[in-house]
Amino acid sequence: MSFGARLHAAVADRGPFCVGIDPHAALLRAWGYDDDVAGLERFALGAVEAVAPHCSIVKPQSAFYERFGSRGVAVLERVIAESRAAGALVLLDIKRGDIGSTSQAYADAYLDPASPLASDAVTVSPFLGFGSLQPFVDTATQHDAGLFVLAATSNKEGPEVQEAVTGGHSVSATMLDHLRRLNADATPLGSFGAVVGATLEDDRGLDLAFNGPILAPGYGEQGGTTDDIRRIFGASAGHVLASSSRGVLRLGPDAAAMRDAVLRTNDELRALRG
Ligand SMILES: O=c1ccn([C@@H]2O[C@H](COP(=O)(O)O)[C@@H](O)[C@H]2O)c(=O)[nH]1
C-alpha cells in the first residue's frame, strides 16, 4: 500500500498530530538524564513508549542522534523500529538534498527497507532544484514510501529563498506545482507531501490543494496553534499534520502527561477535518 494510503488510514484511526522525537541536550537534562548516549537512549525510547501508540506518525529529527556519532545513530534505528512496532508511521527528518547521484545514496539509506534506517517517509530539501530529488521520488515509489519537500518552512529566514520569484511563481509555489503533478492520480492521498510551517502569517497565496499531505512544523513551541492551522490552511486543513517536538517532550518524563497531550491535541485537530 502506498505511503499516502497508509497515512490516510493511520490519521483516520489515530488523528493528525505528529510528535517530534527530538532529544535536545536541554531536554535530556530537564528529564534528569546526562547528555550522553545512555541519556539519549532513555529519553528517546521513553518518549516513543509514551507517544507512539497514540500517534499516526512520529518525526525523529536525525541531527539530535547524529551528534553522538554511530552510537547515536544506533539509538535512532531503535527509535524507528520501536515507533513502528507501536503502530506509528515514521517520518525521519533529515532534510537531505544533493546532486542526483548522491541523492540516490541518501534515498537508499533512508527509504530502502533493507537499510537499518529505513523509514516510512523523509523530509528533503529541493533547493538544488526539484529535479535533483528524482532519485528520492523513484525510490519512494518503488518502496511505497513518502517524501515531504520543504516548501514554506516555519523559520523566519525561509522567505529570502522560498518567496523568490522565478518564472513568474514563487519558489514555494513551484515546489507545490511539482508535488501536484506527482500526486495527480493518487487516491485517497498522494505520497508526496510538502512542509509548510504552522507559523506563517497567512497562506502566502499558495495553492495548497496538491492532493498530498502537509507537514506543519512550528506547532507548539514555535508559536503555532490550532487556530493558525485553520487560518493558514483553510480548506486544505484536512491534509495537515501539525507537528510539535518540544511542546510535548517538555511534559516528560511523565509518560501520562505526554500521552494525554497527544490524545487531546489529536481531538482538537480532528475537529478541523470536519
Ligand atoms: O520548517 C520546518 C521544518 C522542520 N522543522 C523541524 O521540526 C521540529 C520542530 O521542533 P519544535 O521543538 O516543535 O520547535 C524540529 O525537528 C525542526 O528541525 C521545523 O521546525 N521547521
Side-chain angles (χ1 to χ4, degrees):
M1 203 196 284
S2 72
F3 171 73
R6 289 186 288 129
L7 179 65
H8 188 265
V11 168
D13 184 29
R14 293 186 174 185
F17 187 37
C18 171
V19 176
I21 313 293
D22 294 5
H24 289 256
L27 286 174
L28 263 63
R29 285 191 286 268
W31 282 34
Y33 304 154
D34 292 330
D35 184 27
D36 58 15
V37 176
L40 172 78
E41 183 169 24
R42 287 181 72 193
F43 179 97
L45 297 181
V48 167
E49 194 180 340
V51 305
H54 311 290
C55 290
S56 54
I57 187 160
V58 296
K59 185 182 78 64
Q61 166 55 258
S62 181
F64 292 107
Y65 303 83
E66 291 173 36
R67 73 193 179 95
F68 292 103
S70 60
R71 295 175 66 207
V73 174
V75 174
L76 177 58
E77 291 173 10
R78 290 191 59 197
V79 164
I80 294 168
E82 298 199 12
S83 297
R84 288 172 132 183
L89 297 171
V90 175
L91 164 57
L92 184 56
D93 198 347
I94 51 170
K95 298 190 187 67
R96 299 296 201 268
D98 208 311
I99 63 167
S101 50
T102 304
S103 286
Q104 183 62 63
Y106 280 133
D108 291 342
Y110 298 113
L111 298 176
D112 185 331
S115 163
L117 286 167
S119 299
D120 297 285
V122 292
T123 55
V124 288
S125 171
F127 301 125
L128 272 77
F130 197 90
S132 69
L133 298 178
Q134 193 61 43
F136 279 105
V137 172
D138 293 342
T139 307
T141 303
Q142 183 187 350
H143 297 302
D144 285 333
L147 300 179
F148 286 82
V149 177
L150 301 182
T153 57
S154 69
N155 58 317
K156 66 180 185 330
E157 300 86 358
E160 177 187 7
V161 173
Q162 296 154 14
E163 289 197 54
V165 172
T166 158
H169 301 284
S170 72
V171 170
S172 301
T174 303
M175 297 309 131
L176 297 183
D177 282 344
H178 284 295
L179 293 170
R180 204 178 331 275
R181 272 191 289 277
L182 287 176
N183 290 325
D185 300 321
T187 53
L189 182 70
S191 297
F192 300 102
V195 177
V196 179
T199 52
L200 271 54
E201 277 179 18
D202 52 37
D203 68 2
R204 295 190 185 160
L206 296 169
D207 179 0
L208 294 161
F210 59 92
N211 194 31
I214 303 170
L215 179 75
Y219 187 88
E221 188 83 7
Q222 295 176 45
T225 64
T226 302
D227 279 346
D228 291 324
I229 300 290
R230 186 185 293 110
R231 180 179 55 75
I232 298 165
F233 298 98
S236 297
H239 287 174
V240 172
L241 307 167
S243 181
S244 173
S245 308
R246 287 168 292 179
V248 174
L249 299 172
R250 276 196 197 296
L251 302 172
D254 183 341
M258 289 190 282
R259 178 202 61 210
D260 289 351
V262 171
L263 294 173
R264 199 173 48 245
T265 309
N266 264 324
D267 283 347
E268 202 176 297
L269 293 168
R270 257 197 209 101
L272 296 180
R273 302 172 88 87

